[in-house]
Amino acid sequence: MAIKKITAAIPMMDEKKWQAEDDMRTLARAKEIEADRARLAAAKRIAEQKIKEMQSVVAKKTTPTARKK
């Protein structure tokens, strides 16, 4: 029974390690982007466009659906 508990824990450790490594890569990429003014400005422009798109989605009023009798 102890073997099942140990082997069940191994995938979780692998998942946590993979997540930590992925997070590290994400943070490294963020630093690269922050250091490149043109790249950062382009990313901010895209972010502003996406914010506007999402605001328009939220601002749209829903129309009442026709009720069936």
Side-chain angles (χ1 to χ4, degrees):
M1 236 186 225
I3 293 174
K4 285 185 181 180
K5 286 184 179 181
I6 292 171
T7 56
I10 291 172
M12 276 303 256
M13 290 185 332
D14 288 344
E15 177 66 24
K16 287 181 181 181
K17 182 180 177 187
W18 178 89
Q19 184 66 59
E21 289 175 350
D22 188 54
D23 291 345
M24 179 270 312
R25 286 187 295 272
T26 299
L27 291 169
R29 289 193 64 222
K31 291 295 180 186
E32 290 172 10
I33 294 166
E34 289 172 348
D36 185 335
R37 288 185 181 194
R39 194 172 168 194
L40 181 59
K44 285 183 176 182
R45 280 193 302 275
I46 296 296
E48 288 170 358
Q49 290 173 356
K50 293 296 178 184
I51 289 169
K52 287 178 183 175
E53 289 174 14
M54 293 299 104
Q55 287 173 336
S56 70
V57 169
V58 172
K60 287 183 181 177
K61 294 181 180 179
T62 56
T63 57
T65 56
R67 293 184 183 175
K68 292 183 179 181
K69 292 184 180 182

